[in-house]
Amino acid sequence: MTPTSLHSLIGRNTIWNLLRFLVNFGVVFILTPMIIRVVGDSQYGLWAIVLSVFGYAGILDMGVQQATMKLVAHYKGREDTDRLNSIASTAVVFFVLLGIGTFMCCWFVLPHFMHYIVSKPEEMNVAIPLLRLIGVNAIFVFCSNVFIGITLGLQQYHLRGKLDICIGLTRLVATWVLLKAGFGLLGLAWLKLGLDASVALALALTCHAVHSGFRVSPMLIGRESIHEISRFGFGIFTASTATRLNETAMPLAVSMLLTTTWTAYFTVAKRLSAYAQELIYALSSSFMPLFSELAARGEKDAIKEVYLQYSRYLLLVTGPIYIMLLFLGPMFLKLWIDPTYAELAGPVVMILALQMAVNGVQPLFGRIILGSGSLAFFVRTNACTSIAALMLGVALIPALGIVGPALAGLVSAICQQGLYLYRLESQVDIPLRRLITSCHLRVLFPLTVFAAVLWWLSQVPSVPSYTTLFAATAGAFALYAPLAWALSLNRHERAFASQLIRKRLRLKPAAPEPAMEVRR
């Protein structure tokens, strides 16, 4: 893979992931306050609790989606279509069975336990039908998951992005119509079912269209494919189970120890921070199959240089997001929902912003580990810190309320990233000193200036409004952008970016793009 084609692939995948994120965030930005105002805080908390079924069922995927993505990219790099089809067929059958199992559980098991979570009779009358609709929906969600893994393993992020954008805009319009018509939570559940079924079908057709020779059949399932998926998937499963358990159990703990209304406050804070976290995922997720494909071709030096170079780029892009969430998050909640949410959920948002900033110190560490298949240390560290965060968070709820889980997550992130930095050299053969000098020090001053300006502007007395938020952010970026351009990019990167911008804006006749080297 040439440097030009490598940068083109990374750019295409990243841009479409970013567009997909921005559209979906815009949809949620509009729909969340609308849903809360129509159904109320308690009903919204019930909706969040029922949807957490997907989080628990997702634990049972055994890491198969990530394993499928990694192995599809691996065999794509080796141009081995037969092994790719065997991996895909094995994963599809597994997820279909998992969806059917979740459906059976939602219909015949979980309804007998809902009274432990939902105490009000009127909520119970909605919760049971809602749960059963979600059970049917689970079949299509898990089918979508496996075809997402295959699509991304084939490096078709742009097609997935286009599909998600169309579905997001459809959800926006249809939700508004259903709420106006008074269908409530059951109407939203039916809408989710229809859209998720459409996504599953579209992704299946996409996989067949983009890869010559691709096919899925139970007859292609082989012992070697089962072994490969289970071996890699078990490592992913161990690492992700504790994280998912933490994310899905905490709203339930808040509901049981406090009330469903507090669950709504906590869920909104988590959702706001989660969408900021999804921005990082949108920018970095395409690197895992890329690292896997490069590893299959034996291009170790390219892997290390891409890691260092694009870690710096990601820090430049994501750093301001953490800072804006930290200083402007409570004000945003006040405008987005209402002052009560700003008062009660604002401190949680600020702590979660600090947690994300700590996790963002190495934005590509998990991607390179998963892509290379070296999982042992990553799995143990992630599992232990996630379980510790869950136990500490539950223990702090009686004393600190919804702030307790956020503080527990921050402590966990500090411990986790400290261990990652300590093991960086032995895990991926990159000296810690090189990472600090080539990435962190080169972005430190611009980010510090951005934080200082944003903090100062946020302290200026004014009436909270979206105009105020925009003005504060624009003022901070006005200083940040030229500093980042001059101090964080080298001469070759500035020249490459300048010529690319001129070509895209047609400021002069198109010329061949300079082949920017994968270098520090």
Side-chain angles (χ1 to χ4, degrees):
M1 188 177 292
T2 65
T4 300
S5 63
L6 180 61
H7 286 294
S8 297
L9 180 62
I10 294 174
R12 185 192 70 181
N13 291 345
T14 302
I15 288 172
W16 274 105
N17 259 349
L18 182 60
L19 289 174
R20 181 179 65 87
F21 162 79
L22 292 175
V23 171
N24 286 337
F25 178 79
V27 170
V28 172
F29 172 78
I30 297 171
L31 289 183
T32 299
M34 182 191 304
I35 295 173
I36 291 176
R37 292 189 186 104
V38 173
V39 304
D41 294 337
S42 182
Q43 288 282 295
Y44 183 76
L46 176 63
W47 176 248
I49 290 172
V50 173
L51 288 183
S52 68
V53 169
F54 286 123
Y56 283 106
I59 294 174
L60 301 178
D61 79 352
M62 302 293 289
V64 171
Q65 186 196 44
Q66 291 289 323
T68 302
M69 189 192 310
K70 193 265 185 216
L71 293 171
V72 165
H74 179 82
Y75 287 113
K76 175 177 177 288
R78 291 190 174 184
E79 300 181 353
D80 190 342
T81 300
D82 291 338
R83 297 290 299 131
L84 189 154
N85 287 339
S86 181
I87 291 292
S89 299
T90 304
V92 168
V93 171
F94 174 83
F95 272 99
V96 169
L97 294 176
L98 181 58
I100 293 173
T102 305
F103 164 78
M104 300 293 288
C105 187
C106 287
W107 273 71
F108 303 111
V109 178
L110 291 181
H112 299 290
F113 297 92
M114 286 301 292
H115 64 277
Y116 291 108
I117 301 172
V118 179
S119 57
K120 298 179 181 179
E122 61 272 17
E123 291 183 352
M124 185 65 73
N125 294 332
V126 177
I128 300 301
L130 197 61
L131 184 64
R132 286 175 173 159
L133 275 176
I134 293 300
V136 177
N137 193 24
I139 298 175
F140 298 105
V141 168
F142 286 115
C143 288
S144 298
N145 285 347
V146 65
F147 284 111
I148 286 173
I150 297 170
T151 301
L152 301 186
L154 294 173
Q155 303 278 1
Q156 301 299 315
Y157 282 79
H158 61 299
L159 296 180
R160 193 242 174 145
K162 293 176 183 178
L163 176 61
D164 279 5
I165 288 172
C166 292
I167 293 295
L169 295 177
T170 303
R171 177 177 286 111
L172 174 63
V173 175
T175 300
W176 180 81
V177 171
L178 289 174
L179 291 177
K180 284 289 185 180
F183 285 97
L185 295 185
L186 291 177
L188 297 183
W190 278 106
L191 173 63
K192 179 173 172 56
L193 174 60
L195 292 178
D196 288 339
S198 302
V199 169
L201 177 60
L203 288 171
L205 296 175
T206 296
C207 292
H208 282 280
V210 300
H211 189 73
S212 177
F214 176 83
R215 66 191 185 98
V216 172
S217 170
M219 302 302 295
L220 297 177
I221 298 175
R223 184 173 299 178
E224 291 184 5
S225 297
I226 296 174
H227 175 71
E228 281 188 283
I229 290 178
S230 60
R231 180 174 58 85
F232 188 85
F234 180 76
I236 300 295
F237 168 74
T238 305
S240 62
T241 295
T243 301
R244 288 179 177 176
L245 184 63
N246 185 5
E247 295 296 325
T248 55
M250 206 61 76
L252 294 178
V254 171
S255 180
M256 295 174 68
L257 296 176
L258 300 174
T259 64
T260 55
T261 301
W262 280 104
T263 304
Y265 297 141
F266 181 74
T267 300
V268 167
K270 288 287 290 184
R271 179 157 294 182
L272 181 60
S273 63
Y275 271 89
Q277 187 67 41
E278 285 185 18
L279 173 59
I280 305 167
Y281 183 84
L283 293 170
S284 65
S285 62
S286 63
F287 286 88
M288 192 274 273
L290 176 64
F291 285 139
S292 180
E293 188 172 334
L294 292 174
R297 297 176 179 179
E299 300 181 28
K300 295 182 179 179
D301 290 337
I303 290 175
K304 289 189 286 187
E305 294 302 328
V306 166
Y307 180 84
L308 291 170
Q309 186 171 340
Y310 282 89
S311 290
R312 174 161 45 90
Y313 296 163
L314 288 173
L315 287 171
L316 284 172
V317 174
T318 60
I321 303 298
Y322 309 137
I323 296 169
M324 287 189 292
L325 195 61
L326 175 64
F327 292 118
L328 302 180
M331 186 188 301
F332 180 79
L333 281 178
K334 186 174 183 178
L335 298 170
W336 187 33
I337 310 294
D338 61 43
T340 302
Y341 276 80
E343 178 183 356
L344 299 177
V348 177
V349 171
M350 297 177 70
I351 297 171
L352 292 175
L354 292 174
Q355 177 187 343
M356 288 190 297
V358 172
N359 285 329
V361 169
Q362 293 191 86
L364 293 179
F365 185 84
R367 307 302 174 200
I368 197 171
I369 290 297
L370 297 180
S372 64
S374 304
L375 295 176
F377 175 76
F378 177 78
V379 168
R380 291 194 297 267
T381 303
N382 194 68
C384 291
T385 52
S386 296
I387 293 173
L390 174 60
M391 297 174 62
L392 180 60
V394 172
L396 291 177
I397 289 176
L400 301 177
I402 58 176
V403 172
L407 284 175
L410 176 59
V411 173
S412 171
I414 293 172
C415 296
Q416 184 183 74
Q417 291 301 316
L419 292 171
Y420 286 169
L421 287 171
Y422 177 74
R423 287 294 297 271
L424 178 67
E425 184 170 1
S426 61
Q427 285 292 119
V428 295
D429 195 27
I430 297 177
L432 177 58
R433 181 177 180 181
R434 186 181 179 190
L435 175 69
I436 294 174
T437 56
S438 64
C439 296
H440 299 133
L441 291 182
R442 292 177 65 175
V443 304
L444 179 61
F445 183 72
L447 288 176
T448 302
V449 171
F450 182 83
V453 172
L454 202 62
W455 173 83
W456 180 73
L457 291 175
S458 67
Q459 302 302 308
V460 176
S462 61
V463 178
S465 65
Y466 287 117
T467 302
T468 303
L469 286 176
F470 178 80
T473 304
F477 269 110
L479 286 177
Y480 174 74
L483 286 175
W485 177 269
L487 301 177
S488 301
L489 302 180
N490 62 36
R491 179 173 57 86
H492 298 284
E493 293 163 343
R494 289 194 296 271
F496 178 84
S498 298
Q499 185 163 340
L500 187 61
I501 292 171
R502 290 191 184 98
K503 180 180 178 181
R504 295 293 183 256
L505 296 179
R506 301 181 185 276
L507 297 179
K508 66 177 183 178
E513 293 181 7
M516 185 177 70
E517 298 179 4
V518 180
R519 56 182 294 174
R520 284 190 298 141

